[in-house]
Amino acid sequence: MPSLRLVESEPGQSRYGALAAAMRSRIIAGEWPPGSAIPAEQALAAEHGVALGTMRRALDLLAEQGLVERSHGRGTFVRQGLSGATMLRFFRFGAAGEQAPQSRILAREALAAPAEVARVLAIGPGEQALRLKRLRTVGGQPALLEEIWLPLPLFAPLTGGDPAGWGDLLYPFYAERCGVHVQRAVDTIGFGRLGAVQARALRLAAGHPCARVQRQAFDLAGRCVEWRTTLGDANAFHYTVAIT
Amino acid sequence: MPSLRLVESEPGQSRYGALAAAMRSRIIAGEWPPGSAIPAEQALAAEHGVALGTMRRALDLLAEQGLVERSHGRGTFVRQGLSGATMLRFFRFGAAGEQAPQSRILAREALAAPAEVARVLAIGPGEQALRLKRLRTVGGQPALLEEIWLPLPLFAPLTGGDPAGWGDLLYPFYAERCGVHVQRAVDTIGFGRLGAVQARALRLAAGHPCARVQRQAFDLAGRCVEWRTTLGDANAFHYTVAIT
DNA sequence: AAGTGGTCTAGACCACTCT
DNA sequence: GAGTGGTCTAGACCACTTG
C-alpha cells in the first residue's frame, strides 16, 4: 500500500518548489546515495499525489541546481561529487602540451585550526584540522603549490597511511576513503607574490608574481569540507568568463 | 485573418526548439526592437498552430539564452543591451567605498585595423576601425586604463563631436548613438606588467603587475562589435567563480 | 519488450500588472 | 476588469536504454 507523502507548500511557494525541497532533504538525508538512481517520475508523482508534469518540474529544478542528473531512457541519478582536475582550468602550462598532471604531498599535519581556517570551515576555534601541502607538476615541471585544510573528525582516515599512494585527484579520493562527496565549490581569484619558501618549491624567484585561487568546497548538505589555497605563476594564469 | 506560420523541425529537433529558432530569427531581423514586448503567448501559439505549453517552452528557452526577459503580468520583452558597469566587477578599489566611477576619453583615432584586431572583429584586414583610449577613475584616483576598438562603418557617429560629453557608460551610449545593442560578452583574464606609458596614466611604477581583461562584445546577431583591453592594478584584482 | 525520461496537447485556474 | 505570464492537471505518444 503506497503511503501518500503529501507536501505542504507555504503560501507563495509553488507546489513543484515544495516538492523539490522535499526531495532535496531526502537526498541529503542519504535515502539515495550519490551515484544511485532515484525512483521513476511516475512512481514519485504517485507517491506525492501530484500530476506527472508537476513532479517533472521539481526534478528539473534539482537538475538545474546540480543535485541530480537526468538521463533519457536510463533514469535520474544523484550526482557524484565533482570529478577533480578543475584547478588547472585557471592555468595554461605551455610546451608540455596535454601531459597528465601529477601531484605529490609535501607535508601532512594535524593542527588546531587557526582562527581564519576555523571560520571558513565553520568549526569551533581551536578544533583539530588536517593541513596538507601539495605540489602539482605538469610534464615534470612544478606548476601549482597548494595548502589544503580539512576538518578533522571527518577526514580522520587520511591521517594515516602513506600519502605517496593517494593518486592525483583528491575529490574521488575523499569520497572513497572518507565518504565525503564534494558537490559544489567557490573559487576566489586574486594576485600576490611568492614567499621565499613557496618560490623554491615552484622553482621561481622569491617575490615572483603569482595568481592565488582560494577555494571553499561544499558537500551535499552544504557543509564546507575543504579550504584550499593554490598558487601558480601569474604568467601562466588565464581564465575566460561569459557575460550575459 | 491570422496566417498560420508553420515551422518545420528537422528530424531530431524538438518542435519547441524549432519554434525558438524561428522566434530568434524574427528578433534578430528586428521585427521587435530591443526593449519592446513581443506578442502574448496565446497569440504566438495560435499563430504557429501549436499548444500553449509548447510555445511557452520555446520562449523559456529564449529567456535562458538571455534573448528575452519574461515578466509576470506584464509580458515578454526583447532584452536591452548589457547595462554597463560590468568591468569593475573584476576589481576592488578600496577606501573610495562605493563612489561612482567616472571615465575620460584620452584619445580617439580612426585607423586601418591591425591584423589581430581585424581578426577579432571579423572585418577585412586593413578596414577602418575606431580606436579609443579611456581612463576610468574611482574616487578621483586613476583605476582602469582601456583600449577599445570599434568597427567603423557601424560606429561612424562616434568619430565626431566632443567625447567629453559621452558619459560614463559606453554600452547604453552605443545603443543611443549607433543603434548597437551589446547583448553578450566574453572576458579573458590574464596577468602582465605595465608599460611605461600605461603606468604613467595609472600613476603606478613602470613594470608594476597588472591584471588584463580582454573583452569581445557581441550584438544580437552574434557579430563582434567591440574589442576591449582593460588594465588595472593586479593588487586590486579579485574575482569569484562558482563551480558545479 | 519493458521501463525510463522527453515532447506535446488542451484545458482550467491562479497571480501579477496596468488602467 | 482585462490582459499577461505562471502553475497544475491528465493523458497520449515518442525516443532512448537495457535486459
Side-chain angles (χ1 to χ4, degrees):
Chain A
M1 160 172 213
S3 68
L4 216 63
R5 189 191 281 253
L6 299 170
V7 298
E8 80 290 353
S9 58
E10 300 149 22
Q13 163 90 313
S14 59
R15 196 171 310 184
Y16 69 82
L19 282 169
M23 292 296 295
R24 170 174 220 112
S25 306
R26 296 172 74 180
I27 289 170
I28 291 172
E31 184 164 343
W32 307 288
S36 67
I38 69 178
E41 299 173 341
Q42 282 286 4
L44 287 170
E47 179 184 1
H48 291 89
V50 298
L52 187 59
T54 305
M55 181 53 77
R56 276 188 61 75
R57 287 210 59 174
L59 295 175
D60 284 341
L61 244 186
L62 294 180
E64 268 177 42
Q65 298 169 356
L67 213 65
V68 301
E69 239 165 353
R70 320 201 67 179
S71 175
H72 194 174
R74 298 204 307 130
T76 302
F77 302 83
V78 178
R79 273 195 54 173
Q80 299 271 29
L82 295 181
S83 43
T86 45
M87 212 64 226
L88 282 155
R89 68 161 66 202
F90 292 119
F91 295 88
R92 180 144 48 197
F93 294 103
E98 288 307 329
Q99 303 237 14
Q102 297 195 313
S103 80
R104 187 158 58 89
I105 303 293
L106 303 178
R108 173 184 54 178
E109 213 171 348
L111 300 165
E116 193 199 359
V117 173
R119 183 179 53 76
V120 171
L121 290 178
I123 61 179
E127 278 192 42
Q128 289 289 106
L130 190 64
R131 185 185 68 184
L132 305 174
K133 305 233 175 181
R134 182 171 177 249
L135 181 68
R136 307 208 70 189
T137 58
V138 178
Q141 300 300 312
L144 300 176
L145 186 63
E146 300 189 310
E147 179 183 81
I148 302 173
W149 287 90
L150 306 168
L152 239 200
L154 193 55
F155 283 88
L158 300 190
T159 55
D162 184 3
W166 282 10
D168 296 331
L169 297 178
L170 285 182
Y171 290 170
F173 190 69
Y174 292 167
E176 175 197 334
R177 289 281 267 273
C178 309
V180 173
H181 296 263
V182 171
Q183 201 256 346
R184 189 173 65 84
V186 177
D187 288 339
T188 299
I189 303 167
F191 175 85
R193 309 191 94 109
L194 292 174
V197 180
Q198 300 158 345
R200 202 168 312 127
L202 289 172
R203 289 196 210 146
L204 293 168
H208 188 88
C210 69
R212 178 184 55 244
V213 181
Q214 294 190 298
R215 166 178 295 179
Q216 271 186 287
F218 301 89
D219 71 358
L220 267 177
R223 290 177 308 179
C224 179
V225 293
E226 183 196 57
W227 168 239
R228 180 192 300 214
T229 301
T230 301
L231 302 179
D233 186 348
N235 297 310
F237 182 89
H238 83 115
Y239 186 63
T240 297
V241 199
I243 296 175
T244 302
Chain B
M1 161 169 214
S3 68
L4 216 62
R5 190 191 281 255
L6 299 170
V7 298
E8 80 290 353
S9 59
E10 299 151 21
Q13 163 91 311
S14 59
R15 196 171 310 184
Y16 68 81
L19 282 169
M23 293 296 295
R24 169 175 221 111
S25 305
R26 296 174 73 180
I27 290 170
I28 291 172
E31 184 165 342
W32 307 288
S36 66
I38 69 178
E41 299 172 341
Q42 282 286 6
L44 288 170
E47 179 184 0
H48 290 89
V50 299
L52 188 58
T54 304
M55 182 51 79
R56 276 188 62 73
R57 286 211 61 175
L59 295 175
D60 284 341
L61 244 187
L62 294 180
E64 269 177 42
Q65 299 169 355
L67 211 67
V68 302
E69 240 165 354
R70 320 201 67 178
S71 173
H72 193 175
R74 298 203 306 130
T76 303
F77 301 83
V78 178
R79 271 193 56 175
Q80 298 272 27
L82 295 180
S83 43
T86 45
M87 212 65 226
L88 281 154
R89 68 160 66 202
F90 293 119
F91 296 87
R92 181 145 46 199
F93 294 103
E98 288 308 328
Q99 302 237 14
Q102 297 194 315
S103 80
R104 187 158 58 89
I105 303 293
L106 303 179
R108 172 184 54 178
E109 213 172 347
L111 300 165
E116 193 199 358
V117 173
R119 184 179 52 75
V120 172
L121 290 178
I123 62 179
E127 279 192 43
Q128 289 289 106
L130 190 64
R131 185 185 68 184
L132 305 175
K133 305 233 176 183
R134 182 171 177 249
L135 181 67
R136 307 207 70 188
T137 57
V138 177
Q141 300 300 313
L144 300 177
L145 186 62
E146 299 189 311
E147 179 182 81
I148 302 173
W149 286 90
L150 306 168
L152 239 200
L154 194 55
F155 283 89
L158 300 190
T159 56
D162 184 3
W166 281 12
D168 297 331
L169 297 179
L170 285 183
Y171 291 169
F173 189 68
Y174 292 166
E176 175 196 334
R177 288 279 269 272
C178 308
V180 174
H181 296 264
V182 172
Q183 201 256 346
R184 189 172 66 84
V186 178
D187 289 338
T188 299
I189 302 166
F191 290 106
R193 309 189 95 108
L194 292 174
V197 179
Q198 301 159 345
R200 203 168 312 128
L202 289 171
R203 291 197 207 145
L204 294 168
H208 188 89
C210 67
R212 179 184 54 247
V213 182
Q214 294 189 298
R215 166 178 296 179
Q216 271 186 288
F218 302 89
D219 72 358
L220 268 177
R223 291 177 306 178
C224 180
V225 293
E226 183 197 56
W227 167 239
R228 180 192 299 214
T229 301
T230 301
L231 303 178
D233 186 348
N235 297 306
F237 181 88
H238 83 114
Y239 186 63
T240 297
V241 199
I243 296 174
T244 302

